[in-house]
Amino acid sequence: MAQLWGGRFTKKTDELVYAFNASIGFDKRLLTQDIEGSIVHARMLGRQGILTQKETEEITGGLAGILEDVEHGKLAIDESFEDVHSFVEAVLTERIGDAGKKLHTGRSRNDQVALDMRLYARLQVQQTDLLLGRLLEVLVGIMEENTDTYMPGFTHLQKAQPLTLAHHMGAYFEMFHRDRLRMQDILKRMNICPLGAGALAGTTYPLDREYTAGELGFDGPALNSMDAVSDRDYLLEFLSALSIVMMHLSRFSEEIIIWNSDEYRFVEIDDAYSTGSSIMPQKKNPDIAELVRGKTGRVYGDLMALLTVMKGLPLAYNKDMQEDKEAAFDAFDTVRDCILLFTGMLATIKFRKERMAESAMKGFTNATDAADYLVGKGVPFREAHGIVGRLVLYCIEKNTSIDKLPLSEMREISDRFEEDIYDAVSLQTCVDKRLTIGAPGREAMEKVIAIYKEYLK
Ligand code: ARG
């Protein structure tokens, strides 16, 4: 047992209590942020005349040495300490003597851990933004190559109207772009420094909170010390945004799993991103997509856990808040891995363009266009809808499609059909006539791709 307190106690902490209370097993990953914050805090104490120049130098030098030694494997994090803060302070004091005991002047572990976690989460937000940026690059690459790769568009998972692979990928570009914007937005709100809040009521020392906030890259110090130590909104916002990222990845995964099925065969997942079966030799399974879909539940769970931890907590710090870490770390790690793996899978996936086009031809995806054709010939839309409905029924009975039906047979259903119907219901016409911005027509799509590329530059 190695703890920072004990003066007012007459008994030793029960071993089970100690273990239950300790957080070093997971907060050790905040070591870098803890030392970074402590160095700035010590420098500020020195500038304010609270520490002598010599003490300041001993402390900052000692802290930098600890970080270096841990990073180079010369110093192991001793998990018998209560938390990472106690470990650092104990090693510092062991190394530099009494000056080490002055580091914690004007500070509490409450503002210290609030700072560490904010610094760590800030990095994670930035990293998520970068990873999403790479996913967008892969998407735009696929879009550029597939403005005339025809495929069926679905509603109710039933073939609806033809579109292109570029257009389908563009929908995901929009989703992941919004995810990026959410990261950038969270960053703006979270970039406030809790250091100097003390346990809850600030301190009596003349701290320079503007200085520490600036040195640590924050926009300014938190303006209420109680809120500073007990605010976890930024983590909740981040976990919400990560949950939305996972929801998008999960929808995309689901489509890839469907497209990879024997019934669809729209895609072939690269061998490097598939797995086999121990019993069925023919199997090549889309495990990565399935795992990404599955891990979505765990990230939602992390968000729910933290929302529930925070609910009903009175001001200010409560030990419940220690529970923010494992949930947040789990979500950070899971989402990072999922974006990385998904991006790799997508970058190497093979789209079977002929299969997609063939599928778009079947299933009467051009029925709307056949009706629009009749409207062009002066038939009211509702009537045209009925005519094409009968045409579809006829085709189903004859096991054929509108574009393959002889004109004579079409004219038995309506004499408004003429030779130009075949061009009107070809895949290319169906898609390319959809020209308004946001639609799959080639010209519209090319404008959108240009906007995306400009954005990614
Ligand atoms: N491990 C603690 C946490 O993560 C550090 C803060 C401890 N503060 C306290 N008053 N016991 O929340």
Side-chain angles (χ1 to χ4, degrees):
M1 287 193 204
Q3 54 200 22
L4 292 172
W5 43 273
R8 65 101 67 211
F9 289 79
T10 52
K11 268 193 186 170
K12 258 182 73 198
T13 316
D14 180 272
E15 296 243 0
L16 283 177
V17 171
Y18 186 82
F20 189 64
N21 193 47
S23 54
I24 194 157
F26 47 88
D27 67 21
K28 62 185 174 192
R29 75 156 91 186
L30 298 175
L31 181 91
T32 307
Q33 288 69 32
D34 196 68
I35 290 182
E36 188 188 352
S38 289
I39 288 177
V40 172
H41 178 67
R43 257 196 239 130
M44 180 275 295
L45 292 177
R47 282 165 53 103
Q48 298 301 97
I50 301 165
L51 294 178
T52 66
Q53 196 184 336
K54 182 164 171 282
E55 288 165 339
T56 308
E57 279 165 14
E58 282 172 358
I59 291 174
T60 53
L63 287 169
I66 294 172
L67 183 58
E68 201 180 300
D69 288 353
V70 172
E71 277 171 356
H72 290 92
K74 290 193 205 137
L75 173 67
I77 296 181
D78 178 352
E79 296 203 16
S80 69
F81 282 90
E82 182 186 341
D83 52 32
V84 69
H85 327 294
S86 319
F87 167 73
V88 172
E89 195 179 310
V91 178
L92 181 68
T93 303
E94 185 191 296
R95 288 185 173 190
I96 68 167
D98 278 350
K101 296 182 188 163
K102 294 193 176 178
L103 166 63
H104 212 52
T105 312
R107 190 176 67 171
S108 156
R109 275 185 297 169
N110 295 354
D111 59 342
Q112 187 176 359
V113 78
L115 171 69
D116 294 0
M117 199 58 189
R118 218 171 260 257
L119 288 172
Y120 190 87
R122 189 172 68 184
L123 274 180
Q124 298 296 318
V125 173
Q126 289 162 334
Q127 189 195 52
T128 309
D129 182 32
L130 276 179
L131 290 176
L132 287 169
R134 256 186 262 153
L135 176 54
L136 291 182
E137 275 164 23
V138 170
L139 278 169
V140 94
I142 298 173
M143 290 177 74
E144 275 189 286
E145 283 168 25
N146 292 286
T147 50
D148 53 8
T149 303
Y150 302 112
M151 65 178 288
F154 298 85
T155 61
H156 313 275
L157 205 51
Q158 310 229 32
K159 288 180 196 175
Q161 290 174 341
L163 35 81
T164 65
L165 181 58
H167 191 247
H168 201 119
M169 293 296 111
Y172 285 105
F173 190 103
E174 289 289 325
M175 293 179 233
F176 294 119
H177 177 227
R178 286 196 296 275
D179 287 332
R180 277 195 94 174
L181 295 177
R182 267 185 277 276
M183 296 303 148
Q184 292 156 18
D185 193 49
I186 290 167
L187 203 55
K188 280 185 232 153
R189 238 182 331 278
M190 75 181 286
N191 206 28
I192 291 295
C193 187
L195 189 63
L200 76 165
T203 75
T204 54
Y205 297 96
L207 306 185
D208 186 348
R209 295 195 59 210
E210 302 282 347
Y211 171 81
T212 44
E215 289 292 291
L216 291 163
F218 287 105
D219 297 331
L223 296 184
N224 183 290
S225 57
M226 289 179 89
D227 181 53
V229 290
S230 59
D231 165 33
R232 300 292 181 275
D233 292 8
Y234 73 96
L235 282 179
L236 288 170
E237 282 192 43
F238 188 21
L239 295 195
S240 312
L242 290 178
S243 296
I244 298 175
V245 171
M246 289 304 295
M247 179 271 289
H248 290 150
L249 283 175
S250 181
R251 293 181 73 179
F252 206 165
S253 293
E254 170 72 6
E255 296 212 284
I256 288 187
I257 292 161
I258 293 173
W259 292 353
N260 186 64
S261 71
D262 228 21
E263 280 63 34
Y264 278 74
R265 285 186 289 116
F266 281 8
V267 296
E268 195 177 328
I269 299 173
D270 195 80
D271 276 359
Y273 285 88
S274 326
T275 50
S277 156
S278 61
I279 175 170
M280 298 166 281
Q282 83 281 15
K283 284 278 200 172
K284 206 175 125 183
N285 297 327
D287 285 27
I288 296 305
E290 288 172 5
L291 269 176
V292 168
R293 188 178 59 184
K295 283 177 191 291
T296 303
R298 149 180 199 156
V299 177
Y300 291 2
D302 293 327
L303 169 63
M304 283 308 135
L306 188 54
L307 277 170
T308 314
V309 164
M310 293 307 293
K311 171 188 169 298
L313 285 191
L315 289 176
Y317 179 84
N318 300 270
K319 194 64 175 242
D320 314 44
M321 289 174 176
Q322 177 166 288
E323 287 293 309
D324 64 352
K325 287 169 204 63
E326 285 164 292
F329 294 156
D330 182 69
F332 300 166
D333 295 348
T334 304
V335 178
R336 177 201 57 215
D337 292 350
C338 287
I339 303 177
L340 264 173
L341 271 290
F342 192 92
T343 303
M345 178 180 67
L346 193 65
T348 51
I349 209 164
K350 216 183 99 206
F351 293 97
R352 306 172 108 185
K353 304 185 185 189
E354 327 71 51
R355 267 292 300 172
M356 289 179 153
E358 194 191 316
S359 166
M361 304 278 282
K362 290 182 192 153
F364 305 101
T365 59
N366 52 6
T368 314
D369 295 82
D372 287 344
Y373 166 87
L374 291 175
V375 171
K377 301 277 177 187
V379 183
F381 181 78
R382 194 46 61 212
E383 228 172 88
H385 188 284
I387 293 170
V388 176
R390 290 197 293 284
L391 186 67
V392 166
L393 191 64
Y394 182 82
C395 288
I396 292 171
E397 278 161 9
K398 293 257 161 179
N399 192 24
T400 183
S401 55
I402 300 176
D403 47 288
K404 296 209 181 74
L405 201 66
L407 187 60
S408 55
E409 291 177 49
M410 280 195 216
R411 289 179 66 91
E412 276 169 33
I413 294 168
S414 167
D415 61 4
R416 311 302 277 270
F417 287 118
E418 289 168 53
E419 194 55 49
D420 56 352
I421 177 66
Y422 295 104
D423 184 46
V425 298
S426 79
L427 276 183
Q428 194 181 355
T429 311
C430 291
V431 170
D432 283 347
K433 272 172 73 183
R434 292 179 152 76
L435 279 176
T436 47
I437 200 76
R442 178 197 267 276
E443 271 173 46
M445 204 69 247
E446 273 165 2
K447 277 184 208 149
V448 169
I449 292 175
I451 295 170
Y452 289 171
K453 286 178 73 178
E454 184 59 34
Y455 157 77
L456 285 175
K457 248 200 246 153

